[in-house]
Amino acid sequence: MIKIAIANQKGGVGKTTTAINMATALAASGYRTLLVDLDPQGNASTGLGVKQSERVNNSYKLLIGESSLSESYISSNVPGLDIVPATVNLSGAEVEMVDFQNRTHRLQSVLSGVDKGRDWDICVIDCPPSLGLLTINALVAVDSILVPLQCEFFALEGLSQLLQTVDRIQQRFNPDLSILGVALTMYDRRARLTDQVADDVRSCLGPLVFETVIPRNVRLSEAPSHGIPALVYDHRCTGSEAYMKLAKEVIARLPEKELVA
């Protein structure tokens, strides 16, 4: 199973929107997909229509060992897409895990036993907007990281901090961790600053930046309130079309020998 973390320690960059719609696009492309909601806000779970009453077993219990992966995931309304939901209890996991000897490898231990042939092809992890123990668990567990980057003035500053964290994870815990790519989000062609930031990011990171940009789009913002991904809510809107194009780029960068739909 290929594992991808959607991460950026800065909030409001479209991280959860990217996680939901990327997972949906991968499932629509024929890949059995698991979305792990690792954000205590539980927005990815809400965005897929998972009610609080359905989150009895969740990512918090999974991390502290109170439930197994097979007990924690539920099927979403999107064919081929399962989710491990999150609750606010997850916010206490970082404190509780401090006393665990393998606190940085809890998620890796859970996901390492997944049989691709029997379970899922791809796992997408929605990380919290911080670089704490939850995000570290995700970065230790995954093969690569996808970074949503909002086209605004402070974007590169936050990206620099994230890249430093990735470098530390590579050195200490996960030498095989790679950056799958950087996705420019909330792109507004009417704003000159947007183009300037996009140009700066591309000149700095080159081919790491995906060609597809995710525009500011009302339908993307509306979809979560209906409990469905934007790709289901309105698959013809510019935001949905952009995420389908981004999914194609993501698939093209994944190891072909491991990923066969």
Side-chain angles (χ1 to χ4, degrees), residues 11 33 35 45 57 70 77 83 105 128 171 173 185 213 226 231:
T33 306
L35 175 59
S45 306
N57 290 324
S70 61
N77 292 324
I83 179 172
H105 291 68
Q171 292 180 26
F173 304 118
T185 61
V213 296
H226 295 273
L231 271 70

Side-chain angles (χ1 to χ4, degrees), residues 177-191:
L177 177 64
S178 63
I179 298 176
L180 184 63
V182 175
L184 298 175
T185 61
M186 302 183 182
Y187 191 88
D188 187 352
R189 299 185 185 280
R190 299 169 299 177

Side-chain angles (χ1 to χ4, degrees), residues 181-184 187 189 198 202 206-214 242 245-246 249-250 253:
V182 175
L184 298 175
Y187 191 88
R189 299 185 185 280
R202 292 189 188 280
L208 271 182
V209 184
F210 291 107
E211 288 297 323
T212 303
V213 296
I214 309 300
K245 291 179 181 177
L246 180 61
E249 285 195 67
V250 168
R253 297 189 184 191

Side-chain angles (χ1 to χ4, degrees), residues 12-260:
V13 299
K15 175 181 57 60
T16 297
T17 299
T18 297
I20 292 172
N21 289 289
M22 181 57 56
T24 299
L26 291 170
S29 299
Y31 303 108
R32 293 166 298 175
T33 306
L34 174 67
L35 175 59
V36 178
D37 190 349
L38 212 60
D39 188 341
Q41 298 176 85
N43 290 338
S45 306
T46 302
L48 281 177
V50 182
K51 300 176 182 178
Q52 290 292 336
S53 59
E54 299 176 307
R55 307 183 195 184
V56 177
N57 290 324
N58 46 63
S59 54
Y60 164 73
K61 290 186 176 180
L62 188 66
L63 284 175
I64 65 172
E66 288 189 3
S67 67
S68 65
L69 181 58
S70 61
E71 295 171 327
S72 301
Y73 81 87
I74 59 177
S75 298
S76 75
N77 292 324
V78 177
L81 175 58
D82 298 324
I83 179 172
V84 177
T87 66
V88 69
N89 290 341
L90 190 59
S91 59
E94 293 194 342
V95 176
E96 294 182 43
M97 288 194 297
V98 168
D99 295 328
F100 294 171
Q101 188 172 6
N102 61 337
R103 57 185 175 272
T104 59
H105 291 68
R106 303 289 294 183
L107 189 59
Q108 182 193 49
S109 299
V110 171
L111 297 179
S112 61
V114 174
D115 181 352
K116 172 183 176 293
R118 182 171 54 85
D119 299 296
W120 303 279
D121 301 305
I122 302 177
C123 175
V124 176
I125 302 173
D126 183 29
C127 298
S130 68
L131 294 177
L133 197 52
L134 291 174
T135 298
I136 290 175
N137 259 267
L139 298 185
V140 170
V142 300
D143 307 297
S144 57
I145 175 176
L146 190 157
V147 185
L149 192 67
Q150 184 178 0
C151 295
E152 64 165 24
F153 182 72
F154 294 112
L156 285 176
E157 181 178 326
L159 179 62
S160 175
Q161 296 173 3
L162 180 62
L163 294 180
Q164 290 175 15
T165 299
V166 170
D167 184 59
R168 294 191 187 100
I169 296 294
Q170 288 171 328
Q171 292 180 26
R172 296 189 59 185
F173 304 118
N174 186 1
D176 297 324
L177 177 64
S178 63
I179 298 176
L180 184 63
V182 175
L184 298 175
T185 61
M186 302 183 182
Y187 191 88
D188 187 352
R189 299 185 185 280
R190 299 169 299 177
R192 183 178 301 176
L193 177 62
T194 295
D195 287 325
Q196 182 180 339
V197 171
D199 291 342
D200 289 345
V201 173
R202 292 189 188 280
S203 64
C204 179
L205 299 176
L208 271 182
V209 184
F210 291 107
E211 288 297 323
T212 303
V213 296
I214 309 300
R216 285 190 178 276
N217 183 246
V218 174
R219 305 299 269 177
L220 286 180
S221 302
E222 291 176 349
S225 65
H226 295 273
I228 53 177
L231 271 70
V232 177
Y233 181 61
D234 185 353
H235 70 278
R236 293 182 179 178
C237 73
T238 57
S240 294
E241 291 178 348
Y243 273 116
M244 285 302 296
K245 291 179 181 177
L246 180 61
K248 291 180 180 178
E249 285 195 67
V250 168
I251 292 170
R253 297 189 184 191
L254 297 177
E256 292 184 10
K257 63 180 181 180
E258 296 183 31
L259 188 59
V260 180

